[in-house]
Amino acid sequence: MSKKTPITVAYGDGIGPEIMKATLQILEAAGAELDIDEIEIGEKVYLKGNTAGIEPSSWDSLRRNRIFLKAPITTPQGGGFKSLNVTIRKTLGLYANVRPCISYSPYITTKHPKMDLVIIRENEEDLYAGIEHQQTDEVTQCLKLISRPGCEKIVRYAFEYARAYGRKKVTCLVKDNIMKLTDGLFHQVFNEIAAEYPDIEHDHWIVDIGAARVADTPEIFDVIVTLNLYGDIISDIAAQITGSVGLAGSANIGDGIAMFEAIHGSAPPIAGQNVANPSGLLLGAIQMLVYIGQSKVAEKVHNAWLRTIEDGVHTADIYCEATSTQQVTTSEFAEAVIKRIGQAPEKFKVVSYDSDNAIKLQEVKTRKMKKEIVGVDIFLQWSEKSGEKRPAILGDALAKCEAEGLKLKMITNRGLKVYPDGFPETFCTDHWRCRFQKIDETPVSNADIIQLMQVVDKAGFDIIKTENLCTFDGKISYSLGQGQ
Ligand code: NAD
């Protein structure tokens, strides 16, 4: 007797329950050996007053079973509700989000018939750290955090994925021409790790033109590895241009723990109407079957699904008179797939999964660097004066604030240097970054910085935050102002 794999399942919100029911029916009919533990997450839990959207007992189920099949959920707007998707991905360390986007031409209408790419999105860091502050009357801030271990894990995962699934090329998409430290770190790690995989081609594009090429000529890409926000946006574009956002599934992979879902949301306007396409969640579930070692069942489901698609049995989102034979509801689509279990596609390539598709990463090593503090950026809210001379008025006042040899070096407003030698045309908000360093830029201590802050505070300025300026292994590790 075969042993069932325990998994946690959440039916979610909106179209979630309909597409989950359809997916589980198909898995069962194909002989998936699953022992299902159902949990409730999302809107109902949020609206009971739990701002996390998940009960403690549900965490127990997730940590016990370590495999999660999740339907989309609705995050209520406003009211301090945290995105549960982001919370689950980060709490469980699901660092890699794997999103295959494939076109099924000519059976599903698309302008991109040769598209077959996989987006591997970093899943835990970037602007999704969710650390935001209103700092002044006029300025809000969101922190972008990129770590070396985070980059190493996701980039290595992308190359290992390419090897395991017979893909030829990995492309890095980031914006390191602007964000030289954060996106620059990702690109640097990409180059380092690419050198360890000479059997796989690699290249790099700046994300804006890279995204444009995804939308225009997606067939030039194979595996794309990118940061969290870019990956989120590009994968929706990529899924949509295959024919429908309802066609893409995704795996969220951690160390010995994983979550599988559709890439789309809960689609409230079509909820409860039995019209949603369950394919995204089904393709996510197929990735789950491969992950838990039920590759043969995964093959059966995938091939039956391909056969259904090429037979022209389509839900409303992909229905097209020219290419479809029948428009079906969610439940009818599930029945059509079930009817075809055991059949192979006749036009599409038959899918086969190896049992060695599993990806195991080596442990990321921690690194120690020699750090020295060489100054401080003190951020101020200041709006006392008006007119084009404001930067000079502020600069002259701050030039009198000095402690332990730390002196004002420059002031920027929204990242642009406005003192000394600003332009009258430059628009300034009430948010000023004031850089203090020793004349010879030699190291300082935190105690020196605290003394300087006391001087600035006594002079009547409103300090909103500070950032230490550091060198790591002797290398300047902060962005310079224009002309610095
Ligand atoms: P959405 O993906 O729910 O819908 C976007 C569009 O695609 C809509 O027109 C919708 O009808 C259509 N669509 C989506 N899935 C479909 C399917 N399976 N079949 C047919 N059509 C489909 O995005 P949204 O409207 O921006 O978000 C709605 C809610 O979903 C929000 O509360 C959002 O926070 C949430 N959301 C959840 C997840 C998740 O749980 N992983 C992901 C994204 C958005």
Side-chain angles (χ1 to χ4, degrees):
M1 207 178 76
S2 59
K3 199 171 153 291
K4 290 190 170 188
T5 305
I7 66 165
T8 303
V9 165
Y11 279 75
D13 301 316
I15 58 171
E18 303 154 55
I19 60 173
M20 182 58 85
K21 188 169 163 222
T23 298
L24 291 178
Q25 279 172 348
I26 297 168
L27 298 195
E28 197 190 341
E33 296 284 350
L34 303 172
D35 184 5
I36 290 172
D37 184 12
E38 194 185 320
I39 59 168
E40 187 166 71
I41 55 169
E43 208 170 17
K44 283 201 206 100
V45 182
Y46 282 120
L47 297 179
K48 269 192 229 158
N50 181 333
T51 54
I54 180 167
E55 304 285 3
S57 58
S58 301
W59 285 117
D60 295 342
S61 169
L62 293 172
R63 295 186 62 211
R64 192 173 52 244
N65 294 329
R66 308 187 80 74
I67 312 287
F68 186 22
L69 182 62
K70 179 186 140 297
I73 53 164
T74 304
T75 310
Q77 295 289 306
F81 299 110
K82 279 281 196 196
S83 161
L84 181 53
N85 294 314
V86 175
T87 304
I88 292 174
R89 289 169 189 159
K90 285 171 38 174
T91 306
L92 300 181
L94 308 177
Y95 61 89
N97 192 334
V98 182
R99 299 183 154 193
C101 296
I102 300 162
S103 53
Y104 302 96
S105 178
Y107 307 99
I108 296 178
T109 307
T110 168
K111 292 180 189 138
H112 305 285
K114 292 203 185 111
M115 175 171 179
D116 179 359
L117 59 85
V118 181
I119 294 168
I120 298 195
R121 161 187 171 197
E122 198 290 313
N123 221 10
E124 297 179 284
E125 305 193 337
D126 197 353
L127 292 155
Y128 288 61
I131 306 174
E132 293 192 293
H133 297 95
Q134 174 153 2
Q135 295 189 308
T136 69
D137 295 350
E138 294 175 350
V139 174
T140 53
Q141 172 192 265
C142 177
L143 275 189
K144 173 161 173 155
L145 296 177
I146 305 293
S147 75
R148 179 170 260 276
C151 295
E152 285 183 7
K153 280 202 292 188
I154 192 68
V155 172
R156 193 171 291 287
Y157 186 90
F159 280 95
E160 287 292 327
Y161 181 95
R163 251 189 204 161
Y165 286 88
R167 292 197 171 252
K168 306 273 176 290
K169 185 173 77 174
V170 180
T171 301
C172 168
L173 296 185
V174 283
K175 185 90 185 158
D176 56 325
N177 55 332
I178 302 294
M179 283 157 279
K180 297 185 190 331
L181 289 180
T182 47
D183 289 30
L185 175 62
F186 192 88
H187 189 179
Q188 184 188 330
V189 169
F190 177 79
N191 287 343
E192 289 166 13
I193 290 179
E196 296 176 34
Y197 294 82
D199 50 320
I200 296 169
E201 260 182 78
H202 67 278
D203 62 0
H204 162 261
W205 296 69
I206 300 290
V207 65
D208 35 12
I209 185 62
R213 294 300 297 268
V214 168
D216 183 56
T217 37
E219 61 279 3
I220 64 172
F221 296 102
D222 194 350
V223 174
I224 290 174
V225 64
T226 188
L227 289 167
N228 204 342
L229 177 63
Y230 309 141
D232 196 1
I233 296 168
I234 295 168
S235 57
D236 262 31
I237 297 173
Q240 183 64 37
I241 65 173
T242 65
S244 167
V245 74
L247 282 172
S250 111
N252 298 264
I253 307 287
D255 292 328
I257 186 159
M259 172 171 85
F260 301 86
E261 57 182 345
I263 79 155
H264 59 75
S266 55
I270 58 166
Q273 297 169 30
N274 196 22
V275 296
N277 189 345
S279 299
L281 186 58
L282 184 66
L283 291 169
I286 291 170
Q287 293 193 56
M288 175 187 80
L289 292 172
V290 176
Y291 182 87
I292 61 178
Q294 299 189 24
S295 325
K296 292 299 140 203
V297 188
E299 265 173 34
K300 251 199 226 173
V301 176
H302 206 156
N303 287 321
W305 179 79
L306 285 170
R307 182 65 184 262
T308 311
I309 295 295
E310 69 179 25
D311 283 349
V313 182
H314 295 164
T315 44
D317 56 320
I318 53 172
Y319 181 83
C320 166
E321 242 173 58
T323 50
S324 310
T325 54
Q326 199 187 344
Q327 181 173 330
V328 289
T329 61
T330 312
S331 47
E332 287 166 349
F333 184 81
E335 284 160 24
V337 177
I338 290 170
K339 217 171 95 192
R340 288 164 177 79
I341 285 171
Q343 295 180 30
E346 290 178 335
K347 316 283 182 353
F348 292 129
K349 200 164 159 252
V350 175
V351 171
S352 72
Y353 289 109
D354 288 337
S355 47
D356 64 354
N357 280 146
I359 294 168
K360 188 102 191 74
L361 290 193
Q362 64 201 54
E363 223 169 85
V364 178
K365 291 189 203 88
T366 49
R367 64 163 59 198
K368 270 286 333 103
M369 299 174 93
K370 183 171 183 288
K371 175 175 125 174
E372 281 183 326
I373 308 173
V374 294
V376 63
D377 280 344
I378 298 184
F379 290 75
L380 302 179
Q381 172 169 352
W382 186 78
S383 52
E384 277 164 35
K385 304 281 179 209
S386 58
E388 62 190 40
K389 295 212 172 70
R390 285 164 81 208
I393 295 168
L394 177 63
D396 292 347
L398 283 174
K400 294 184 193 122
C401 298
E402 204 188 311
E404 304 300 324
L406 283 162
K407 286 186 171 143
L408 181 69
K409 191 156 189 187
M410 67 157 189
I411 300 175
T412 69
N413 196 291
R414 292 184 302 170
L416 186 88
K417 189 172 78 136
V418 293
Y419 178 91
D421 308 325
F423 276 37
E425 289 83 0
T426 305
F427 175 76
C428 291
T429 66
D430 60 355
H431 182 277
W432 308 83
R433 175 179 63 159
C434 310
R435 176 159 294 177
F436 290 82
Q437 287 185 292
K438 285 191 179 176
I439 299 279
D440 54 4
E441 296 186 7
T442 50
V444 297
S445 67
N446 270 316
D448 298 341
I449 291 172
I450 291 165
Q451 289 223 13
L452 173 68
M453 286 172 70
Q454 282 173 344
V455 173
V456 173
D457 181 59
K458 268 211 187 101
F461 290 103
D462 179 4
I463 299 175
I464 51 175
K465 77 160 190 171
T466 63
E467 289 283 353
N468 286 354
L469 306 175
C470 298
T471 59
F472 285 86
D473 287 347
K475 203 171 140 214
I476 289 180
S477 304
Y478 48 90
S479 49
L480 298 175
Q482 287 75 11
Q484 247 203 315

